[in-house]
Amino acid sequence: MGFGDLVPTHNSTKIFTCCFAFVSIALITAALNFVIGFIVDRQEEMVLGSLFDREAAAAESETNDHPPNPFPSVASDVENPVDNDEAAAPALADHVTAGERHELIVATTLYLLVLVCGAVVFSLLQGLSVVDAVYLVCMSATTVGFGDLDPSTPTSRLFATVWLIFSTLGLAKVLADYTDTRLRAKQRRASARLLSANLTESDFQLLDQDGDGTVSNLEYMRMMLLKTGKVRQEDLDEIQRSFARLDRNGSGNIDRHEMLHASNS
């Protein structure tokens, strides 16, 4: 906020104040992103750490006891699981995608256009210099508002009423998009490392939900969706109940007759 008791009076200090306001907001956003990234990284380490601990325990047990491996297709080489996971994960998993980068560029460009439009209109309506118009726009958009320059004519006040909505919400949108993009990149990296981690026999037993000695595509997909946090167990249970309602004879498949019966009921 701006108290208005001390205000910049020269063009150079006004320009500095504008830069300082936006840089301060950017630094605060970067700090929040760092905290969010730290939390995501710790969650990733907890999930992968428990997975690697199980792998190491399984490897040590196999080394000491040399039991026969009933699941030869399951990887058990975990000499350096963290390095293997990082090598197997997609190289760009932690980077911003082209689509996300495009969204950030569009949002930033539109916001800059809103600022330029405000500066031009305030300059024309109130006869302000370029520096004063930019200063008024920046102090208003960042909600600092020292009060030394403000809309003083009825027309400029009416314009400010509409323009301030777009300028303040636009700034919040740009910052939110940037934070959301970094968070999604972190989540992609965590998911990539989890999906590329080696599976032990205990993991195989967990994946083999029907106990038939094989892991189907559906069983593997279900477990990975849960582990990566893309779906909740409640969502899968609801889908299962919906399937059971349609599968009237309990065969595990929905035939055309059952589908038509459900549609007509």
Side-chain angles (χ1 to χ4, degrees), residues 9-259:
T9 55
H10 301 288
N11 288 342
S12 57
T13 54
K14 290 178 181 179
I15 294 175
F16 171 80
T17 303
C18 293
C19 296
F20 181 81
F22 281 106
V23 170
S24 298
I25 293 175
L27 290 176
I28 294 174
T29 303
L32 292 176
N33 285 330
F34 175 80
V35 173
I36 294 173
F38 178 82
I39 295 174
V40 173
D41 288 340
R42 296 292 79 78
Q43 291 176 338
E44 175 189 352
E45 289 179 2
M46 291 176 59
V47 173
L48 292 175
S50 62
L51 176 62
F52 296 150
D53 289 342
R54 294 201 310 270
E55 290 180 349
E60 182 179 357
S61 176
E62 292 175 3
T63 301
N64 295 334
D65 302 333
H66 302 285
N69 185 2
F71 308 110
S73 62
V74 179
S76 59
D77 181 10
V78 290
E79 295 179 359
N80 194 355
V82 177
D83 293 341
N84 291 339
D85 291 337
E86 290 178 348
L92 297 179
D94 196 28
H95 292 180
V96 177
T97 64
E100 292 170 341
R101 187 180 297 108
H102 176 72
E103 292 179 359
L104 287 177
I105 293 175
V106 170
T108 303
T109 301
L110 291 176
Y111 181 68
L112 291 177
L113 289 177
V114 171
L115 295 182
V116 171
C117 177
V120 171
V121 173
F122 281 126
S123 178
L124 295 176
L125 292 180
Q126 298 194 196
L128 300 175
S129 65
V130 174
V131 174
D132 285 342
V134 171
Y135 171 73
L136 172 59
V137 163
C138 293
M139 294 301 98
S140 301
T142 57
T143 68
V144 174
F146 288 113
D148 50 338
L149 286 179
D150 53 36
S152 56
T153 65
T155 306
S156 62
R157 289 173 181 173
L158 180 62
F159 171 76
T161 302
V162 178
W163 178 84
L164 282 171
I165 297 176
F166 290 95
S167 61
T168 53
L169 293 181
L171 178 59
K173 177 68 166 56
V174 172
L175 298 178
D177 286 349
Y178 177 76
T179 302
D180 183 60
T181 298
R182 294 301 304 164
L183 179 59
R184 282 184 290 179
K186 289 283 187 181
Q187 291 174 335
R188 281 197 301 270
R189 177 176 177 270
S191 297
R193 291 193 63 196
L194 180 60
L195 292 175
S196 62
N198 293 332
L199 295 178
T200 64
E201 293 181 15
S202 60
D203 295 320
F204 188 93
Q205 299 285 358
L206 185 62
L207 289 169
D208 184 19
Q209 295 184 344
D210 55 12
D212 62 353
T214 61
V215 176
S216 67
N217 183 28
L218 181 60
E219 289 174 327
Y220 184 83
M221 185 181 301
R222 177 190 179 96
M223 184 59 64
M224 291 301 105
L225 286 174
L226 288 172
K227 280 192 172 185
T228 55
K230 297 184 182 300
V231 298
R232 299 177 303 170
Q233 182 64 49
E234 293 80 3
D235 299 328
L236 294 178
D237 292 341
E238 182 65 27
I239 295 173
Q240 185 63 37
R241 286 192 291 269
S242 177
F243 180 88
R245 179 178 57 83
L246 296 175
D247 182 20
R248 300 176 62 85
N249 58 12
S251 63
N253 298 288
I254 302 175
D255 56 31
R256 184 172 179 272
H257 175 72
E258 291 173 326
M259 184 64 71

